[in-house]
Amino acid sequence: MTSPSVATAAGPESLAALRAELETLRVRLGVQADRAEIAELIDRYITLLDTQDDHGFDDTWPATVFTSDCRLEFPVGTIEGIDEAAAFHFDRKSRFARTHHLAANYGIHLDGDTARVRIHLLASHVHHEDGPDPNGRFDIGGYSEGEAVRTPDGWRLRRWRFRLMWSAGAGPRPGPDPRELRSSQPRPRPTKG
């Protein structure tokens, strides 16, 4: 004797419940897929901060990360539109011999085809031998936040802003006055002595 199939054994109520459960799972899977794609987008950008010029200047990489109408805000400058993104990043990175960026604590809040994003960021910047602190480092910590949007090419960042919370070591040269970079930081405590 063969067992009846689920479809024939289940009554109309069971089939409706099964369909509802499958739809709930489909929606949840879609949300998780979007979150994974946005996290991968951010990881791609953070990696490109260190590698975008490994083989010389490349003006094509911003299209893999940003929308054409993006707005990017950093303590060292602001740009609007994708056309200047590669040159901006190349110039800022060239002030150092090498850099190393690390992102964590991803907050991704989806709303259809847009998402609010926030990450924490630590970065080390190694000075050139002729820098303000030869072979020394300029370390920073802060957070980035912005908006990602779904495009025909996948998720892209439309707005991105980095907020510096602390820094250690001599800053970029040329660059803003270190007091400007530190204006949002808590004041250092006096040393006991």
Side-chain angles (χ1 to χ4, degrees):
M1 183 170 192
T2 62
S3 62
S5 72
V6 173
T8 58
E13 299 84 24
S14 297
L15 254 134
L18 182 60
R19 285 188 178 121
E21 183 178 349
L22 286 173
E23 178 59 19
T24 299
L25 290 172
R26 186 191 68 76
V27 169
R28 290 178 70 187
L29 182 60
V31 166
Q32 293 305 315
D34 285 340
R35 290 177 56 82
E37 288 176 29
I38 293 167
E40 191 277 330
L41 167 68
I42 294 166
D43 287 342
R44 185 168 61 243
Y45 176 50
I46 299 303
T47 300
L48 281 164
L49 288 173
D50 299 323
T51 64
Q52 40 105 356
D53 60 351
D54 279 355
H55 304 288
F57 179 71
D58 176 9
D59 64 353
T60 63
W61 72 263
T64 70
V65 176
F66 303 115
T67 62
S68 60
D69 62 344
C70 64
R71 177 176 173 84
L72 312 174
E73 300 175 35
F74 305 95
V76 293
T78 298
I79 61 169
E80 294 204 33
I82 199 170
D83 293 338
E84 300 301 318
F88 175 87
H89 284 81
F90 184 82
D91 174 70
R92 294 336 184 256
K93 184 175 179 238
S94 70
R95 297 176 186 184
F96 299 97
R98 45 193 184 282
T99 63
H100 182 82
H101 292 75
L102 179 65
N105 300 350
Y106 290 55
I108 300 169
H109 304 282
L110 290 162
D111 186 9
D113 290 338
T114 63
R116 286 176 303 138
V117 179
R118 179 180 163 124
I119 63 165
H120 289 198
L121 185 73
L122 297 173
S124 290
H125 306 77
V126 178
H127 289 291
H128 294 285
E129 289 181 18
D130 65 344
D133 179 12
N135 295 320
R137 287 195 340 243
F138 174 56
D139 296 328
I140 62 171
Y143 64 92
S144 288
E145 59 187 355
E147 178 185 61
V149 294
R150 189 189 318 269
T151 74
D153 296 319
W155 287 92
R156 297 293 185 265
L157 296 171
R158 181 167 40 202
R159 288 185 301 106
W160 196 249
R161 175 177 53 195
F162 175 69
R163 295 289 188 205
L164 182 70
M165 300 305 292
W166 61 268
S167 66
R173 188 186 78 187
D177 183 317
R179 290 173 295 219
E180 287 179 34
L181 289 175
R182 294 187 174 110
S183 64
S184 66
Q185 297 181 61
R187 298 290 175 229
R189 296 181 198 164
T191 56
K192 295 180 183 179

